[in-house]
Amino acid sequence: MKNNLIVIENGQLNTYLLDTRVSWEVGRLSKDNTPDIAMHATTVSRRQGKFQNMDGIWFYMDYNPTNRTFRNGRKLTGGLNGRVRPVMVSDGDSFMFGGGDKPMVCPGTVWAFFSENSYDTPWRAVATAGFDKLVVMDDEAGGRKYQYEDLHPGKVLACQKGMAIYMGDITYVTGKIKLMGAKRRGQKLSQ
Amino acid sequence: MDKSTETKYIKEEIEKCEELSDLKERILPMLKSQQELWAEKIRQVIEESGCSKTAFAKKCNVSRVAVDKWCKGAVPRNRETFLRIGLAAGYELARMNQLLARYGRYPELYSKSLEDCVCIYVISSPGDVDMVESYDYILERIRTNMVEDEIMPVPDICTAQFAERLAQVHGEDALAQFIYDNIAAFSTAYQKFYAYVKMYVTINYQRYSSSIANLADGQGWSSSLKQCVSAIRQNKWYPTRNKILSLGLHLSMDREQIDEMLTLAHMEPLCAKNPFESVIIFILEDASLNNILDTDSEEFDPDELCRYAKEVLSGLDLPEVDTFISELNIDM
């Protein structure tokens, strides 16, 4: 099992293999600040939070509740008397750093995904603008199909042999899987 | 009103309480104490078993006097006794879990704990043999033959899959082999709970004291709470509900964090229908809502929540309070 953090900001995807260190500072890159997981959005604080390992389990700690970090769509808040609230991170958790009061994938925010799965093939970007239904399937004879209709940016399309992350105009794909889809007007995608 | 609606209603009403007097006058009279519930339950268990009190005591490996005390509301002090009562009553899994969680306020059966694994096996393989005897015999046999110094890899398997595999085990030899194959998994039963507490302490208390021991000394923690924290650091503590609540108050955790600790220890979140816990919920809600802990304050007072909890609890006549309050060893 490998613990990865996949971070997407402004169309750029970066993967961090968390297990290579004990902790990872998260924040906005600036002249005097070089966080381990560097972001550029101005709504992200220079010291936003950190991922830290304790006895093999990963936690995320937000430094300041006004920073606006969301986990699985829920805003993270501080503990009593300014205490930091450790959030135990599980496979499939998504994070949104920065932005307004509601979680929204946009140029001002950074989306991240914690995954225990990693695949040998590099990530590739597939244009999916306008598609309202996507199907992922393992790229092998008799591979099982998984159909997704409730598409929204940040939707993870999981498969046995890989995964895809739908971000609207672009979907990022890794692993030995095929991505197929259909537009409302009948236009078809097969990749 | 069904039970879940009733619980939700009580929970909401506690959250609406602005004063302690509100809680005392409106909420507490609606709730039965744990002792009252337990006395009713054990009388029912003994009656259903068809045994005399003496015979039931023998089955549970306790004295007749102990059973008499149970019937008057004394709640057994350890989880093992609850397991024996459930086994003596011939309970199946769901009823055993209810007995543990609702009446004992202990974690439900957890397949990745050695004793629970054997208990689940015995419950799931009913025969003509006495279930308590069967449980004792198998557990003793496994413990005797266990090789402790061998390092085995921790199986990468979730609890649900582990429980499914256990359900496929038939026969004592197969169970012994299953336990041997998965021996490393039993040492990780509370790994997430330990990690959560350790992370919380590390992230929040490093700047105030060089170690949790210093914090404990500074706050005058009871020796039993100190022992529990020391055992957590060594990944050895067997979680008990009131100790978790006490730990949460000492570490100034909010309700969500205390619920998280309980969940990680395989227990239900704080229960609004238990009078004692309804007061704890009130304390935590009040602490959050009324800003008694000023989040902008630069002065750090690690005792504030404990002191407030002690003040509220001291004004109440609830059976659990005296024992619990001795844990909150804070000068008023």
Side-chain angles (χ1 to χ4, degrees):
Chain A
M1 189 168 67
K2 291 174 183 169
N3 294 297
N4 298 283
L5 189 75
I6 301 147
V7 179
I8 300 176
E9 181 179 12
N10 266 337
Q12 290 291 315
L13 183 147
N14 287 302
T15 305
Y16 300 88
L17 182 54
L18 295 183
D19 300 329
T20 54
R21 327 168 54 139
V22 174
S23 76
W24 296 76
E25 292 287 336
V26 177
R28 178 164 46 84
L29 191 65
S30 66
K31 243 193 286 180
D32 51 357
N33 185 51
T34 314
D36 306 313
I37 298 173
M39 301 170 178
H40 300 89
T42 51
T43 54
V44 171
S45 167
R46 283 188 295 176
R47 290 187 76 244
Q48 181 86 6
K50 74 170 166 180
F51 286 91
Q52 188 167 332
N53 191 291
M54 175 63 78
D55 296 346
I57 293 163
W58 282 97
F59 291 84
Y60 174 74
M61 271 80 59
D62 211 47
Y63 288 139
N64 183 344
T66 57
N67 287 342
R68 297 203 178 94
T69 302
F70 296 85
R71 182 183 67 144
N72 300 333
R74 192 175 165 208
K75 188 175 182 292
L76 298 182
T77 55
L80 292 175
N81 204 6
R83 282 167 183 76
V84 178
R85 180 192 300 278
V87 173
M88 195 176 283
V89 184
S90 309
D91 183 35
D93 278 356
S94 67
F95 288 84
M96 179 85 70
F97 300 101
D101 280 335
K102 287 187 179 166
M104 189 185 292
V105 177
C106 64
T109 59
V110 183
W111 183 89
F113 182 73
F114 181 84
S115 173
E116 290 177 353
N117 302 311
S118 57
Y119 307 94
D120 292 337
T121 58
W123 286 90
R124 55 195 190 273
V126 180
T128 47
F131 286 88
D132 57 359
K133 187 195 289 181
L134 287 173
V135 175
V136 284
M137 65 179 289
D138 295 318
D139 192 7
E140 61 184 14
R144 199 175 152 193
K145 285 182 182 176
Y146 300 84
Q147 182 171 307
Y148 294 89
E149 291 185 9
D150 55 334
L151 296 174
H152 55 82
K155 176 85 178 172
V156 177
L157 320 177
C159 218
Q160 296 277 334
K161 305 269 180 185
M163 67 190 284
I165 300 168
Y166 175 82
M167 296 300 277
D169 292 355
I170 292 173
T171 295
Y172 299 89
V173 183
T174 183
K176 291 175 184 163
I177 61 169
K178 275 184 190 170
L179 179 70
M180 292 169 288
K183 285 185 177 177
R184 221 169 256 135
R185 285 168 298 194
Q187 189 181 342
K188 283 189 179 167
L189 163 85
S190 186
Q191 179 274 333
Chain B
M1 204 186 291
D2 68 34
K3 284 190 174 172
S4 67
T5 318
E6 191 182 318
T7 308
K8 196 173 164 220
Y9 168 76
I10 292 171
K11 219 171 174 176
E12 286 169 359
E13 288 303 304
I14 295 171
E15 284 162 9
K16 282 183 206 162
C17 286
E18 289 193 3
E19 301 292 337
L20 182 60
S21 55
D22 254 8
L23 185 81
K24 277 184 183 173
E25 285 159 23
R26 291 196 307 112
I27 311 293
L28 295 183
M30 287 196 274
L31 309 175
K32 278 188 182 174
S33 74
Q34 193 198 358
Q35 282 70 14
E36 285 173 294
L37 285 170
W38 168 244
E40 276 174 26
K41 178 69 182 175
I42 189 64
R43 286 196 289 261
Q44 180 201 344
V45 168
I46 295 169
E47 195 183 318
E48 279 177 8
S49 74
C51 294
S52 65
K53 279 185 186 174
T54 310
F56 194 80
K58 201 175 163 196
K59 270 188 161 191
C60 297
N61 207 12
V62 296
S63 66
R64 160 74 199 243
V65 179
V67 175
D68 282 335
K69 283 184 182 169
W70 295 347
C71 292
K72 288 175 186 162
V75 182
R77 285 186 174 225
N78 69 66
R79 188 171 176 271
E80 182 74 14
T81 309
F82 273 94
L83 288 185
R84 289 173 182 283
I85 292 169
L87 289 169
Y91 274 4
E92 74 337 318
L93 199 60
R95 292 187 85 187
M96 178 66 100
N97 281 335
Q98 189 200 43
L99 182 76
L100 288 167
R102 182 176 300 173
Y103 299 96
R105 299 166 70 215
Y106 283 109
E108 293 185 351
L109 287 174
Y110 181 58
S111 59
K112 285 182 174 172
S113 149
L114 176 62
E115 291 79 5
D116 287 9
C117 179
V118 173
C119 188
I120 292 170
Y121 170 80
V122 170
I123 286 174
S124 315
S125 321
D128 293 334
V129 288
D130 183 295
M131 282 165 83
V132 184
E133 273 178 25
S134 179
Y135 169 77
D136 283 340
Y137 170 75
I138 296 173
L139 198 57
E140 181 59 28
R141 183 186 150 190
I142 285 167
R143 279 179 176 152
T144 308
N145 296 319
M146 199 183 283
V147 183
E148 284 184 4
D149 54 0
E150 199 167 333
I151 297 168
M152 305 275 282
V154 178
D156 183 14
I157 176 173
C158 73
T159 307
Q161 287 171 324
F162 193 85
E164 264 175 42
R165 287 192 194 170
L166 174 61
Q168 306 301 319
V169 171
H170 300 292
E172 286 171 24
D173 290 339
L175 178 69
Q177 186 61 46
F178 174 81
I179 287 174
Y180 175 74
D181 292 344
N182 294 288
I183 201 74
F186 296 115
S187 64
T188 63
Y190 297 102
Q191 188 188 14
K192 286 185 176 175
F193 170 80
Y194 301 141
Y196 185 85
V197 176
K198 285 196 254 184
M199 180 56 83
Y200 182 88
V201 170
T202 304
I203 200 77
N204 284 298
Y205 289 94
Q206 251 171 3
R207 65 194 166 116
Y208 301 117
S209 60
S210 57
S211 72
I212 186 74
N214 290 359
L215 175 81
D217 283 339
Q219 284 192 336
W221 289 16
S222 68
S223 58
S224 67
L225 194 64
K226 279 185 197 169
Q227 276 168 11
C228 121
V229 172
S230 159
I232 286 173
R233 293 176 81 181
Q234 298 167 50
N235 295 346
K236 282 181 179 166
W237 187 56
Y238 195 89
T240 57
R241 196 166 176 92
N242 279 6
K243 277 279 190 302
I244 291 177
L245 302 188
S246 174
L247 190 63
L249 292 174
H250 277 95
L251 295 176
S252 298
M253 287 185 175
D254 61 18
R255 182 173 163 190
E256 196 181 323
Q257 287 167 322
I258 290 178
D259 278 347
E260 176 131 25
M261 277 203 297
L262 290 169
T263 308
L264 293 173
H266 317 297
M267 298 182 201
E268 294 290 311
L270 282 165
C271 173
K273 282 174 85 175
N274 175 293
F276 171 68
E277 291 192 14
S278 71
V279 180
I280 300 290
I281 293 173
F282 170 81
I283 290 166
L284 295 169
E285 289 294 317
D286 207 37
S288 292
L289 289 174
N290 293 336
N291 265 344
I292 67 158
L293 298 165
D294 180 5
T295 51
D296 295 328
S297 165
E298 286 186 2
E299 276 181 35
F300 173 66
D301 178 2
D303 299 343
E304 202 166 359
L305 183 62
C306 264
R307 194 180 296 116
Y308 177 59
K310 192 170 182 177
E311 187 187 315
V312 172
L313 288 166
S314 305
L316 295 167
D317 183 23
L318 291 173
E320 291 100 326
V321 163
D322 285 345
T323 326
F324 188 78
I325 221 163
S326 63
E327 292 277 1
L328 305 175
N329 198 11
I330 301 288
D331 293 330
M332 302 277 284

